[in-house]
């Protein structure tokens, strides 16, 4: 069985020193393709360097909504330039997506107006190269979904991943209508009742539109949660196992479906 972790912050300062060990662990668990999303200009540059010299890992470049207010005025132009030059020169940095972008009302790190402006910049860059956009959404579905609907209406384009899905069946259907893939992470393994709507959405989501992810070093799935210091890509198998239980199918079918989806969408 082959698994893909479509959202792993392997460049995070807390785990970067163990990067090669974590990649070996991932390999041993069957996790053979991993997307590392950037959160700002510096990490966009860093991730491209990391992926250029290592198999199994791929880059996404962008500025996280929670970092958008902190970004210097020329940071965005630098991300765009980096993307254009990589893609024009053989893409050694293996850029396969734009992000992570999106909207976040939970942390309140940036005014919504700034977050929306950055979201639209990311959408334009993704559309320029027909790359999927990686979308973060925390307590902001009522802003994000209309913004995506408006963008698709205006341009006729939308392609991407709603990562770390944390909402309900109603919003799942709206994301699916927009043509997005949906990434499920450790949350579906957590026992608390408040995650039941996420599990209901996982049950309802069609097999050909789901992805699995760790969002490591955060959101360690059960049964590793509480036993280890940080999450890592190898643990995505636990999320896949839970998804198989929820969807009343086999781990193999989840592995095959999510890997096929990742390969088709991200061209990895
Ligand atoms: Zn993330």
């Amino acid at each position: 069985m082959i698994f893909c972790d479509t959202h792993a912050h392997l460049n995070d300062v807390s785990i970067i020193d163990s990067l090669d060990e974590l990649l070996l662990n991932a390999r041993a668990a069957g996790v053979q393709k991993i997307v590392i999303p950037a959160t700002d200009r510096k990490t966009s540059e860093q991730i491209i360097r990391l992926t250029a010299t290592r198999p199994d890992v791929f880059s996404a470049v962008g500025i996280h909504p929670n970092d958008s207010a902190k970004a210097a005025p020329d940071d965005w132009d630098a991300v765009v330039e980096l993307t254009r030059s990589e893609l024009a020169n053989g893409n050694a940095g293996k850029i396969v997506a734009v992000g992570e972008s999106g909207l976040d009302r939970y942390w309140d790190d940036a005014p919504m107006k700034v977050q929306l402006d950055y979201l639209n910049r990311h959408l334009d860059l993704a559309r320029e190269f027909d790359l999927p956009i990686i979308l973060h959404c925390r307590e902001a579905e009522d802003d994000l979904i209309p913004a995506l609907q408006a963008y698709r209406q205006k341009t006729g384009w939308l392609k991407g991943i709603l990562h770390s899905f944390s909402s309900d069946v109603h919003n799942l259907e709206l994301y699916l209508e927009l043509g997005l893939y949906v990434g499920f992470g450790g949350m579906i393994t957590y026992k608390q009742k408040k995650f039941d709507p996420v599990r209901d959405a996982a049950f309802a989501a069609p097999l050909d539109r789901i992805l699995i992810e760790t969002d490591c070093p955060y959101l360690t799935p059960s049964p590793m949660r509480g036993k280890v210091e940080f999450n890592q890509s190898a643990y995505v198998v636990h999320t896949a196992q839970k998804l198989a239980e929820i969807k009343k199918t086999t781990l193999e079918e989840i592995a095959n479906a999510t890997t096929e989806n990742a390969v088709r969408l991200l061209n990895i």
Side-chain angles (χ1 to χ4, degrees), residues 7 9 37 39 64 100 136 163 215 218:
H7 200 102
H9 296 284
T39 51
H64 194 286
E100 63 181 287
H136 163 111
H163 111 85
D215 207 9
Y218 319 107

Side-chain angles (χ1 to χ4, degrees), residues 8-19 22 36-37 39 43 46-47 50 215-218 230-231:
H9 296 284
L10 292 173
N11 63 308
D12 190 272
V13 283
S14 63
I15 54 174
I16 182 76
D17 291 343
S18 318
L19 175 64
L22 299 184
I36 312 180
T39 51
T43 52
Q46 175 198 24
I47 291 163
L50 295 178
D215 207 9
C216 66
Y218 319 107
F230 55 81
N231 195 6

Side-chain angles (χ1 to χ4, degrees), residues 169-184:
V169 172
H170 173 74
N171 284 328
L172 170 83
E173 279 165 3
L174 296 174
Y175 288 131
L176 292 172
E177 267 170 40
L178 282 164
L180 297 174
Y181 287 68
V182 181
F184 289 98

Side-chain angles (χ1 to χ4, degrees), residues 112-171:
M112 189 46 58
K113 214 176 135 216
V114 175
Q115 295 190 39
L116 280 163
D117 175 37
Y118 272 82
L119 170 65
N120 282 298
R121 296 183 198 202
H122 284 80
L123 285 163
D124 284 341
L125 179 62
R127 183 166 58 96
E128 179 179 335
F129 295 102
D130 195 30
L131 288 172
I133 183 167
I134 297 175
L135 296 162
H136 163 111
C137 185
R138 194 143 181 213
E139 296 180 7
E141 282 82 5
D142 294 347
D143 304 279
L144 181 63
I145 292 168
L148 296 174
Q149 287 167 337
Y151 191 85
R152 194 179 61 164
Q153 183 84 38
K154 190 179 79 181
T155 65
W157 184 93
L158 188 65
K159 173 168 159 179
I161 302 169
L162 191 287
H163 111 85
S164 196
F165 182 86
S166 60
S167 189
D168 55 18
V169 172
H170 173 74
N171 284 328

